[in-house]
Amino acid sequence: MGSLNFQELISAFIVLFAVIDIIGAVPIILDLKQKGRSVNAIQATLVASALLLGFFFAGDMMLKLFQVDIASFAVAGAFVIFLMSLEMILDIEIFKNTGPIKEATLVPLVFPLLAGAGAFTTLLSLRAEYATINIVLALLLNMVWVYIVLKMTDRIERLLGKGGIYIIRKFFGIILLAISARLFTANLTSLIDQFQHMK
């Protein structure tokens, strides 16, 4: 589990905050509500938390099953986070949601907005750097924040305005870009070391 480290907790919280990007999802949530698609805040938060925690603890076993180590997964995760950052910075859609479910709480809110490929890969990538306890606490704090935002989407949009949400999205897009570069370089060097030891 490792020991509780406030700096690691804050770092993991910021990374997950940027990846989950619930503030950036506010316009999408409002659009869903306007289309008459219901959003249940408590259900969305609990299901997303369960999925993310389940993947965080079972993902390692899944990787072992496919003979993939955390460092390799972190490099792959860095690419996914890189693409997500491009979406946020350049206003383009790379990850398209073509799911068949019409109720908005599970699709697209829980998957892929809250518990999507980016969040899954980020959680496992963080395991290569931080203690488990710090990542789990950072995730739970993020889920509390997600619940608050889902309950107050209308008020948040009024408070920040469309311009404010747009600026926040761009800012966190740049942070994600930097995170993906750091994850890629840190884990690539460890992979190269492993490869050299195998020779």
Side-chain angles (χ1 to χ4, degrees):
M1 287 285 280
S3 58
L4 187 62
N5 180 312
F6 193 67
Q7 195 177 350
E8 277 193 14
L9 175 62
I10 295 295
S11 292
F13 177 84
I14 290 168
V15 172
L16 289 167
F17 183 89
V19 171
I20 295 167
D21 186 34
I22 190 65
I23 293 288
V26 166
I28 301 164
I29 296 159
L30 291 169
D31 186 50
L32 291 167
K33 285 182 173 176
Q34 281 162 11
K35 287 173 182 165
R37 293 178 70 180
S38 60
V39 170
N40 182 325
I42 188 80
Q43 187 192 2
T45 308
L46 290 174
V47 173
S49 303
L51 277 174
L52 289 166
L53 282 169
F55 188 80
F56 179 68
F57 287 107
D60 205 14
M61 288 191 309
M62 284 167 62
L63 290 185
K64 280 184 181 140
L65 195 67
F66 295 108
Q67 294 183 324
V68 175
D69 57 70
I70 291 273
S72 306
F73 195 85
V75 169
F79 279 114
V80 176
I81 298 166
F82 172 73
L83 292 173
M84 287 175 72
S85 69
L86 287 186
E87 275 194 333
M88 293 162 82
I89 296 165
L90 304 175
D91 283 334
I92 53 174
E93 190 186 15
I94 298 168
F95 299 104
K96 289 182 170 57
N97 171 43
T98 51
I101 304 166
K102 292 289 168 249
E103 201 242 347
T105 299
L106 295 177
V107 177
L109 184 53
V110 169
F111 186 86
L113 284 179
L114 297 177
F120 288 147
T121 47
T122 303
L123 276 173
L124 281 195
S125 302
L126 287 174
R127 282 188 73 160
E129 294 187 50
Y130 301 143
T132 301
I133 182 84
N134 300 315
I135 303 168
V136 170
L137 283 175
L139 177 61
L140 294 175
L141 286 171
N142 262 290
M143 286 298 129
V144 170
W145 170 242
V146 162
Y147 175 73
I148 293 164
V149 172
L150 289 177
K151 287 298 275 184
M152 299 172 65
T153 40
D154 302 307
R155 238 179 289 179
I156 285 165
E157 202 203 22
R158 278 200 300 274
L159 187 71
L160 294 174
K162 282 196 166 58
I165 289 170
Y166 185 79
I167 290 163
I168 287 169
R169 198 169 160 77
K170 290 280 172 284
F171 174 72
F172 279 108
I174 292 162
I175 286 194
L176 274 191
L177 192 61
I179 289 162
S180 71
R182 189 171 65 85
L183 263 178
F184 182 76
T185 50
N187 288 285
L188 191 66
T189 49
S190 106
L191 279 178
I192 291 165
D193 286 344
Q194 278 179 40
F195 183 69
Q196 283 171 342
H197 287 307
M198 281 164 65
K199 278 184 170 181

